[in-house]
Amino acid sequence: HVQLVESGGGLVQAGGSLRLSCAASGRTFISCAVAWFRQAPGKERDFVASIMWGSDASTYYADYVKDRFTISRDNAKNTASLVMNSLKPEDTAVYYCAADYLGRASRSSEYGYWGQGTQVTVSS
């Protein structure tokens, strides 16, 4: 069982940066893939990025954040992070951290563990 808590959201101007953090509880976090999703009002929850478990820790990004966002994890601290640069107003959404014992996955239905979400607002 894994519990996730996000932090780091806020209000930022377009072109700015934010760092989101996801703190996990549970000794098996190291065996989980971790992903970030986002959901804007009235829209579906969309995949943002994911990072695999183990020493490989391969990363995957949605096209609309590639080269702007970076996902990482620190298994020793049971944390994952999402650094967001060159933010745009269309990045405004609630950002969720998700985890599960699986490989590469980009559908929200594939993840069983979720945080409560953190609001990111980008002003123009």
Side-chain angles (χ1 to χ4, degrees), residues 40-106:
K43 296 189 176 181
E44 294 185 348
R45 191 168 295 189
D46 292 329
F47 172 78
V48 173
S50 65
I51 184 166
M52 296 301 100
W53 55 273
S55 59
D56 181 25
S58 297
T59 57
Y60 305 95
Y61 297 91
D63 287 342
Y64 40 81
V65 304
K66 201 171 292 184
D67 298 328
R68 298 190 298 124
F69 291 11
T70 302
I71 188 172
S72 62
R73 66 189 297 166
D74 186 335
N75 291 326
K77 296 182 179 179
N78 266 17
T79 60
S81 297
L82 183 70
V83 175
M84 306 184 294
N85 296 319
S86 303
L87 282 162
K88 306 174 182 179
E90 50 264 44
D91 293 319
T92 295
V94 177
Y95 283 72
Y96 296 91
C97 177
D100 214 322
Y101 306 98
L102 40 64
R104 181 179 182 179
S106 60

Side-chain angles (χ1 to χ4, degrees), residues 11-16 87-92 121-124:
L11 174 64
V12 64
Q13 288 188 330
L87 282 162
K88 306 174 182 179
E90 50 264 44
D91 293 319
T92 295
T121 303
V122 184
S123 63
S124 57

Side-chain angles (χ1 to χ4, degrees), residues 5-48:
V5 178
E6 303 98 333
S7 61
L11 174 64
V12 64
Q13 288 188 330
S17 299
L18 278 175
R19 181 186 183 99
L20 304 183
S21 296
C22 176
S25 63
R27 290 176 293 176
T28 57
F29 176 72
I30 191 173
S31 301
C32 290
V34 179
W36 288 92
F37 288 79
R38 69 187 188 186
Q39 188 166 20
K43 296 189 176 181
E44 294 185 348
R45 191 168 295 189
D46 292 329
F47 172 78
V48 173

